[in-house]
Amino acid sequence: MVKWKLGLLFVFIIILFETNAQNYPQNYFRYPLDSLPNLVSPFGGLRDNHFHSGMDLRTNQQEGLPVFASADGYISRIKIQSIGYGKAIYIDHPNGYTTVYGHLQKYSGKIAQWIHNYQYKNQTFEFDYVFEKPILLVKKGDTIGLSGNSGGSSGPHVHFEIRNTKSEKIINPTLFGIIPFDTINPTIKKVFIYKYVNDGLLLKKELKIDQTHISKLKEFTNVFIYNKQTELEEDQYGFGIEAIDFIHNQEDEKGIYEYSLKHKGKLVFKHTLNQFAFNESKYINAHIDFPFYKTEKFRIQKCFIDDGNEFSTYETNIEKGKIYLTEKSIDTLIFQVIDNNKNFFVLYLPIKVLNKKTDIQKVSYLKSLKGIKAFYPLTKNTIKTKDFSFELEEKSLYDTVYYKYDILPKPLKAFSKTYKIFNQTAPIHKAADISIKPVKVKSDLESKLLLAYYFTDEKNYKSAGGNFDGGVVKGKASNFGHYFITIDTVAPIIKQIFLNTEEAINDSLHYYFEIKDNFSGIGKYEGFLNNEWILLDFDAKSNLLTYHFDEVWKKQVADNKDSKLNNTAIIKPEVLIRVTDKKGNVAEKSFEMPITF
Ligand SMILES: [Zn+2]
């Protein structure tokens, strides 16, 4: 237990919940499934390279549940991708908001018909169409499609968003009253203490906040005090937390709505997930301790802001969340986390500030940086040699990035030397423009050149894309790694497959094909049934092309029925699949199908 008097220090415990400045219409939007709100993942959840832009609605591991229009409006956009949101619908509502529904299995009624016509007319499965005027009107509760698992989804669910139609900012749907029942308080599991070191950060301490380290303050059931004083030397510090939340009766972690830090009664830092813009989402990599996440695989949410972090969800002191702790004082830090149901958790962290003395860890860290090159935030950073250039535009970095630079000999099968701009754990906000001059190649191979990169294992290199242009290979670098030029002359592989699922066995209404590419990735895919273009669904995560028997197939069957009656030659159905990778290597394969009447 803390020795000093709690009473004196904690007289002023006031927990204020600010109401949202903007008033969002309540009960205007209905929950788009035929159940009570139940989430797999909340708005703003912490993901790789982004904050979750919507709510993931639970469909109990099933596909095919009806998805309803959340309110009256019209279909304003239809987007179909083999990745990302998969099959998605956007509805504009007269009150200035847009709702979005992603990962659908299929569309319903007139919407499905419109899409099918569009796909045949434009001979494409994937497209992004914005309606200039209302054509497809919907009423609140109309079925717009069935729930699925299309696109980059990792299990059946519906991705649901509410956006401001004009600004396209994504808004937390709980602000509109779409909110699952939840009475469980969030928790802070760990507090992290950072020291500032010459444009860098040093993690100084990790405090575990479990039952053995905290005591309840009597009057409040969810206000706790860390029962050991933390000793820190006088200096400037930043803090971070690992916070989790649970939704009623569900075991998995759910993320939080708001967290804040107060020092001496004043707000130091607050992050609130009411709304954000899409182009801000990547600030997740500055919001969390990114290097720590890369190595330890869990996300510390910071209570201070890097110079290059312009995420709009923060409110801070002048020092952007950093605190200068002054000698010999006894300070208390107050951390608070709140979930979407306003369940909360408050933690008092007593700190004793000691005399300033030499920090050995800091000294050795600064020593380790001697002679190491650095890129700086809020400015352009460029490396240029005769055969190589690497350019980061102004707002590409959050903080100073120390990197190792070298030019290594050409790898055996490569078409250039290797350029090392290495820091495995530093994030990049906007990818760098990179260009490398290749060794001499035959002109017909120039279009097959592309960039490759690796971190530490040179055998394990990946495509960084790019094209031969004006004597060099130009591309984008999203990582600080080792870059060189390689070549892709290998066409994709096409296989007919017979799915082993019960559904697939019982149903003879599909053809399935697996397509794979060895390096640059799938660029284009097409299918023809007896020379007539057919619509193929592509699911990138399973490499699966699906032909759902439609009017082209029915016509084939009808023709053959006629031929049988008239004793003329029956035409065997033949499906031709053509797949092109991103370097223009084409694979074509024909499959003779059994005759069906
Ligand atoms: Zn989602």
Side-chain angles (χ1 to χ4, degrees):
M1 260 313 280
V2 189
K3 283 179 190 128
W4 27 280
K5 286 170 187 146
L6 288 177
L8 272 177
L9 274 158
F10 305 116
V11 176
F12 305 103
I13 300 168
I14 304 162
I15 300 144
L16 280 180
F17 294 114
E18 287 145 51
T19 46
N20 299 302
Q22 202 174 338
N23 283 321
Y24 297 99
Q26 301 297 302
N27 304 317
Y28 183 91
F29 295 110
R30 63 157 286 175
Y31 190 67
L33 295 174
D34 189 18
S35 57
L36 289 171
N38 194 351
L39 303 187
V40 190
S41 180
F43 177 82
L46 312 174
R47 303 269 178 97
D48 276 351
N49 294 317
H50 68 286
F51 287 90
H52 189 217
S53 59
M55 279 177 165
D56 284 350
L57 315 182
R58 191 174 287 271
T59 57
N60 298 319
Q61 277 87 49
Q62 288 172 51
E63 293 190 34
L65 305 185
V67 177
F68 307 114
S70 199
D72 290 2
Y74 70 93
I75 310 288
S76 56
R77 184 176 173 189
I78 290 166
K79 192 174 181 183
I80 299 181
Q81 288 175 285
S82 60
I83 52 167
Y85 286 40
K87 295 179 182 174
I89 289 189
Y90 298 62
I91 301 174
D92 279 11
H93 306 282
N95 64 345
Y97 296 101
T98 300
T99 49
V100 183
Y101 314 76
H103 308 307
L104 301 179
Q105 181 196 61
K106 53 172 79 158
Y107 298 95
S108 294
K110 59 187 177 183
I111 304 166
Q113 195 53 55
W114 187 95
I115 291 169
H116 193 77
N117 291 343
Y118 183 92
Q119 287 171 319
Y120 266 94
K121 200 173 142 206
N122 295 283
Q123 300 203 339
T124 180
F125 165 62
E126 298 182 50
F127 68 91
D128 183 3
Y129 186 85
V130 177
F131 290 79
E132 298 288 328
K133 54 182 183 223
I135 294 172
L136 300 164
L137 304 178
V138 290
K139 284 268 169 221
K140 187 173 187 167
D142 281 357
T143 303
I144 53 172
L146 299 181
S147 72
N149 188 31
S150 60
S153 169
S154 56
H157 73 274
V158 174
H159 174 91
F160 177 65
E161 287 177 17
I162 302 180
R163 298 184 187 182
N164 179 308
T165 304
K166 226 179 208 164
S167 71
E168 288 188 79
K169 278 195 173 179
I170 327 135
I171 307 164
N172 191 335
T174 61
L175 300 173
F176 295 85
I178 297 181
I179 185 160
F181 179 70
D182 171 25
T183 56
I184 300 174
N185 293 319
T187 329
I188 294 174
K189 282 175 82 178
K190 282 176 186 166
V191 170
F192 297 84
I193 303 170
Y194 296 88
K195 196 175 208 175
Y196 271 80
V197 192
N198 196 34
D199 299 324
L201 270 179
L202 264 187
L203 184 56
K204 290 301 288 182
K205 273 195 169 80
E206 181 178 323
L207 306 174
K208 223 174 160 189
I209 315 296
D210 59 26
Q211 293 301 322
T212 56
H213 295 100
I214 54 173
S215 339
K216 248 178 216 179
L217 287 182
K218 259 187 201 162
E219 310 90 303
F220 301 94
T221 54
N222 45 358
V223 178
F224 296 86
I225 176 163
Y226 193 73
N227 49 28
K228 222 179 117 195
Q229 231 177 53
T230 298
E231 295 186 340
L232 294 171
E233 296 131 32
E234 181 182 277
D235 214 328
Q236 194 178 37
Y237 292 91
F239 295 84
I241 57 168
E242 187 196 358
I244 56 157
D245 183 41
F246 295 88
I247 291 181
H248 205 68
N249 284 335
Q250 286 171 13
E251 295 285 310
D252 35 356
E253 291 183 24
K254 293 299 166 198
I256 54 173
Y257 166 68
E258 180 178 291
Y259 69 94
S260 63
L261 170 61
K262 280 181 185 163
H263 176 231
K264 294 190 167 158
K266 283 193 189 128
L267 184 79
V268 172
F269 174 93
K270 186 164 90 174
H271 161 73
T272 312
L273 275 168
N274 283 331
Q275 58 170 343
F276 58 88
F278 268 97
N279 62 8
E280 295 183 293
S281 203
K282 212 178 171 186
Y283 285 123
I284 179 79
N285 292 342
H287 178 81
I288 61 168
D289 179 342
F290 190 78
F292 189 89
Y293 174 62
K294 278 282 166 193
T295 51
E296 306 297 321
K297 300 291 166 222
F298 81 81
R299 296 178 174 100
I300 300 170
Q301 303 202 63
K302 298 191 303 205
C303 301
F304 55 92
I305 310 176
D306 298 340
D307 292 336
N309 180 0
E310 296 184 354
F311 199 30
S312 63
T313 57
Y314 303 126
E315 196 185 319
T316 70
N317 61 3
I318 302 169
E319 291 82 22
K320 293 185 165 185
K322 293 158 203 163
I323 303 174
Y324 199 92
L325 296 176
T326 329
E327 200 185 333
K328 282 177 188 159
S329 67
I330 288 178
D331 285 16
T332 307
L333 301 172
I334 307 172
F335 296 89
Q336 177 174 276
V337 292
I338 307 173
D339 73 9
N340 281 301
N341 295 56
K342 305 283 191 241
N343 300 309
F344 64 94
F345 179 94
V346 178
L347 177 72
Y348 282 75
L349 190 74
I351 292 198
K352 189 177 177 190
V353 188
L354 308 174
N355 291 355
K356 197 164 190 159
K357 58 178 183 195
T358 313
D359 183 337
I360 300 161
Q361 196 190 358
K362 183 170 166 174
V363 171
S364 70
Y365 176 73
L366 289 175
K367 222 173 162 183
S368 77
L369 295 179
K370 273 222 169 107
I372 291 194
K373 288 175 181 292
F375 292 129
Y376 299 98
L378 306 172
T379 177
K380 260 187 163 182
N381 291 279
T382 310
I383 303 176
K384 252 195 173 104
T385 72
K386 191 165 65 69
D387 298 334
F388 171 67
S389 101
F390 185 89
E391 281 180 67
L392 287 160
E393 60 173 283
E394 208 182 324
K395 289 186 175 178
S396 301
L397 300 179
Y398 309 120
D399 210 344
T400 306
V401 172
Y402 294 97
Y403 66 97
K404 289 182 180 147
Y405 177 71
D406 206 354
I407 301 172
L408 307 170
K410 183 176 91 65
L412 201 58
K413 287 176 182 167
F415 289 80
S416 73
K417 289 176 179 161
T418 297
Y419 295 86
K420 175 177 182 174
I421 327 108
F422 181 66
N423 180 331
Q424 195 165 351
T425 58
I428 299 185
H429 191 67
K430 280 186 201 158
D433 286 314
I434 180 170
S435 70
I436 303 178
K437 194 176 174 191
V439 294
K440 262 218 154 72
V441 287
K442 284 186 208 153
S443 61
D444 58 330
L445 287 181
E446 284 170 349
S447 67
K448 307 289 180 196
L449 298 175
L450 74 165
L451 298 171
Y453 79 98
Y454 65 88
F455 286 120
T456 49
D457 175 10
E458 64 179 295
K459 287 190 192 91
N460 189 13
Y461 60 88
K462 293 190 171 98
S463 165
N467 289 305
F468 184 82
D469 177 12
V472 294
V473 178
K474 286 181 187 170
K476 292 277 182 189
S478 307
N479 299 288
F480 297 103
H482 299 74
Y483 286 84
F484 62 90
I485 296 172
T486 184
I487 198 163
D488 182 0
T489 53
V490 182
I493 294 166
I494 307 166
K495 266 199 311 203
Q496 185 178 12
I497 60 161
F498 301 92
L499 292 183
N500 227 349
T501 61
E502 204 181 315
E503 198 187 348
I505 291 162
N506 292 333
D507 125 49
S508 54
L509 300 173
H510 301 91
Y511 295 142
Y512 299 103
F513 306 92
E514 188 181 63
I515 58 173
K516 274 183 184 168
D517 187 58
N518 68 321
F519 194 68
S520 61
I522 302 288
K524 199 178 166 195
Y525 49 90
E526 292 171 289
F528 301 87
L529 177 59
N530 293 342
N531 297 322
E532 208 170 320
W533 189 86
I534 49 172
L535 175 64
L536 298 169
D537 271 36
F538 181 41
D539 184 61
K541 63 179 175 293
S542 58
N543 306 311
L544 198 65
L545 281 177
T546 306
Y547 176 54
H548 301 274
F549 290 179
D550 57 12
E551 67 275 12
V552 182
W553 187 84
K554 281 176 196 151
K555 194 174 140 257
Q556 171 78 43
V557 173
D559 286 352
N560 275 339
K561 270 184 187 156
D562 291 346
S563 305
K564 202 178 177 191
L565 282 173
N566 304 333
N567 260 334
T568 52
I570 286 171
I571 302 163
K572 280 188 177 170
E574 191 183 74
V575 174
L576 174 84
I577 303 289
R578 184 186 300 144
V579 184
T580 312
D581 72 9
K582 286 177 179 156
K583 286 282 107 188
N585 302 301
V586 186
E588 242 184 40
K589 212 165 172 181
S590 291
F591 302 88
E592 247 185 41
M593 300 299 181
I595 301 164
T596 320
F597 294 106

